[in-house]
């Protein structure tokens, strides 16, 4: 498994809230290529059989019911084990949406999912993992229709409600070698969440500073510490995220979408969009619409 690709979300789920697939790997298939995720997370569950999950320099042995969270910086590959190989469902979703969700849900107050070293988080096992299978099945079924953000939030909520993440985090905080994480401040979580409205997106970084009620320097330090980004980059990513939704789901002109999402001009919007997705907004819209054809 020598390949180390870095996959991008939009290459697989253009115009959709998430991507889901049922995957079968035989024991002699060689498994998947080793790869990373440039801009998305993945939750996967083993449906049947057994697998070796190659992560970093080690191997996780996976069995039916196991649920694993793979982060953008993780490098991994999966190989089915004898005699029957492995069947699993994986659900992939954009990193900004997931981080906003866990912040608002209070599911990872210390940021340890981001900080812990490899291997990826083995979140659920045994009966709790088996109980999560229905949530994966619903997410997979919704993906083959027209998946929405509501479908994705329902999936996340059902998986988190099983409790495996919190239990693991508690053990991690108190265990040997745990990475101490500084809790994300409530003012920062709130300000970042409120920036998702179009009015605030149009107002940009000045509005983010107003919502945060701290100095620009303190905001920049906090964004770097807790989200590994800058205020400007954060706002640009939110604007592009909203623009993707509007391109895929409305007939608004590119100029109107640029205005609604806060870009100074259509040309600047197009440059930013192409830099992020290697597609023009119009080409992205064409691909997104083809993706929904049965």
């Amino acid at each position: 498994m020598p390949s180390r690709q870095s996959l991008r979300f939009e290459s697989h789920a253009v115009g959709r809230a998430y991507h889901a697939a049922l995957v079968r790997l035989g024991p002699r298939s060689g498994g998947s290529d080793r790869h990373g995720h440039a801009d998305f997370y993945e939750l996967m569950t083993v449906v049947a059989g057994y697998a070796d999950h190659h992560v970093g320099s080690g191997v996780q042995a996976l069995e039916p019911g196991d649920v694993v969270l793979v982060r953008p910086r993780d490098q991994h590959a999966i190989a089915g084990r004898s005699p029957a190989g492995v069947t699993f469902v994986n659900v992939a979703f954009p990193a900004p949406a997931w981080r906003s969700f866990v912040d608002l849900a209070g599911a990872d107050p210390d940021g340890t999912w981001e900080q812990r070293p490899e291997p990826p988080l083995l979140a659920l096992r045994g009966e709790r993992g088996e109980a999560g299978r229905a949530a994966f099945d619903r997410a997979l079924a919704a993906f083959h229709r027209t998946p929405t953000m509501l479908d994705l939030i329902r999936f996340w909520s059902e998986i988190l409600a099983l409790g495996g993440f919190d239990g693991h985090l508690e053990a991690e905080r108190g265990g040997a070698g745990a990475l101490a994480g500084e809790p994300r401040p409530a003012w920062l979580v709130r300000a970042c969440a409120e920036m998702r409205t179009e009015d605030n997106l149009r107002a940009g970084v000045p509005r983010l500073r107003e919502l945060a009620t701290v100095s620009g320097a303190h905001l920049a330090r906090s964004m770097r510490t807790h989200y590994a980004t800058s205020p400007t980059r954060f706002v640009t990513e939110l604007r592009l995220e909203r623009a993707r939704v509007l391109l895929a789901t409305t007939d608004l002109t590119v100029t109107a979408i640029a205005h609604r999402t806060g870009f100074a001009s259509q040309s600047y919007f197009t440059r930013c969009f192409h830099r992020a997705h290697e597609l023009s907004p119009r080409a992205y819209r064409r691909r997104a619409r083809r993706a929904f054809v049965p």
Side-chain angles (χ1 to χ4, degrees), residues 14-15 246-252 284-293:
V14 60
L246 293 174
L247 285 166
T249 61
T250 76
D251 292 321
L252 290 169
Y284 178 92
R285 171 173 270 167
R286 288 194 295 270
R287 284 188 56 185
R289 291 183 173 177
R290 284 200 302 271
F292 288 106
V293 176

Side-chain angles (χ1 to χ4, degrees), residues 215-257:
S215 69
H218 185 43
L219 174 62
R221 285 194 301 272
S222 298
M223 292 290 294
R224 187 166 55 251
T225 298
H226 297 287
Y227 293 104
T229 191
S230 68
T232 298
R233 191 177 305 117
F234 175 78
V235 170
T236 299
E237 288 176 353
L238 286 186
R239 286 171 167 170
L240 290 171
E241 179 184 314
R242 179 60 181 158
R244 291 195 301 269
V245 172
L246 293 174
L247 285 166
T249 61
T250 76
D251 292 321
L252 290 169
T253 66
V254 173
T255 300
I257 290 172

Side-chain angles (χ1 to χ4, degrees), residues 126-140:
E127 291 183 2
R128 284 190 301 186
E130 293 289 353
R133 172 67 192 279
F136 278 90
D137 287 345
R138 280 189 286 272
L140 184 61

Side-chain angles (χ1 to χ4, degrees), residues 48 66 80 119 127 129 172 182 184 190 204-205 252 269 287 290:
D66 286 354
E127 291 183 2
E172 185 175 80
E182 179 186 349
R184 291 185 181 121
R190 182 186 64 252
V205 174
L252 290 169
F269 167 54
R287 284 188 56 185
R290 284 200 302 271

Side-chain angles (χ1 to χ4, degrees), residues 60-67 122-131 164:
Q60 285 178 328
L62 300 182
E63 59 189 51
D66 286 354
V67 176
L122 182 57
L124 298 172
R125 263 221 129 141
E127 291 183 2
R128 284 190 301 186
E130 293 289 353

Side-chain angles (χ1 to χ4, degrees), residues 1-289:
M1 302 177 188
S3 177
R4 289 181 176 271
Q5 308 172 65
S6 186
L7 306 180
R8 296 193 65 85
F9 180 77
E10 290 300 326
S11 298
H12 300 274
V14 60
R16 301 195 179 194
Y18 65 92
H19 183 275
L22 177 68
V23 181
R24 295 181 177 88
L25 296 174
R28 291 182 292 277
S29 69
S32 65
D33 290 334
R34 184 178 291 271
H35 64 276
H37 304 162
D39 57 355
F40 65 93
Y41 286 77
E42 177 184 322
L43 274 165
M44 54 176 288
T45 187
V46 177
V47 174
Y50 297 83
D52 289 328
H53 190 202
H54 297 265
V55 285
S57 58
V59 178
Q60 285 178 328
L62 300 182
E63 59 189 51
D66 286 354
V67 176
V68 178
L69 174 70
V70 185
R71 301 156 301 183
R73 63 184 175 81
D74 294 319
Q75 289 279 338
H76 74 134
I78 302 171
R81 296 170 63 184
S82 295
V86 66
T87 301
F88 62 92
V89 176
N90 67 330
V91 179
F93 36 86
W98 169 249
R99 290 167 184 155
S100 296
F101 174 78
V102 296
D103 277 347
L104 290 172
D108 186 22
D110 294 344
T112 47
W113 291 350
E114 294 292 337
Q115 298 173 17
R116 73 185 301 272
E118 293 181 358
L121 173 60
L122 182 57
L124 298 172
R125 263 221 129 141
E127 291 183 2
R128 284 190 301 186
E130 293 289 353
R133 172 67 192 279
F136 278 90
D137 287 345
R138 280 189 286 272
L140 184 61
F143 179 73
H144 292 300
R145 301 192 304 270
T146 304
T148 67
M149 183 56 69
L150 182 59
D151 293 313
L152 183 56
I153 291 172
R154 183 181 296 114
F155 169 70
W156 286 337
S157 299
E158 289 178 311
I159 295 299
L160 289 181
L162 294 171
F165 292 90
D166 292 337
H168 188 102
L169 290 171
E170 288 300 323
E172 185 175 80
R173 291 178 192 126
L179 292 173
E182 179 186 349
R184 291 185 181 121
W187 61 264
L188 182 59
V189 171
R190 182 186 64 252
C192 289
E194 291 180 5
M195 280 302 297
R196 289 184 169 273
T197 69
E198 286 187 8
D199 284 347
N200 289 337
L201 283 179
R202 284 193 292 273
V205 174
R207 179 62 53 80
L208 178 58
R209 286 198 295 266
E210 290 176 12
L211 294 169
T213 65
V214 298
S215 69
H218 185 43
L219 174 62
R221 285 194 301 272
S222 298
M223 292 290 294
R224 187 166 55 251
T225 298
H226 297 287
Y227 293 104
T229 191
S230 68
T232 298
R233 191 177 305 117
F234 175 78
V235 170
T236 299
E237 288 176 353
L238 286 186
R239 286 171 167 170
L240 290 171
E241 179 184 314
R242 179 60 181 158
R244 291 195 301 269
V245 172
L246 293 174
L247 285 166
T249 61
T250 76
D251 292 321
L252 290 169
T253 66
V254 173
T255 300
I257 290 172
H259 171 72
R260 282 183 58 164
T261 52
F263 288 93
S265 66
Q266 177 186 332
S267 60
Y268 179 59
F269 167 54
T270 299
R271 287 198 302 274
C272 290
F273 197 94
H274 193 278
R275 189 182 307 122
H277 304 293
E278 298 182 352
L279 284 172
S280 70
R282 289 186 176 86
Y284 178 92
R285 171 173 270 167
R286 288 194 295 270
R287 284 188 56 185
R289 291 183 173 177

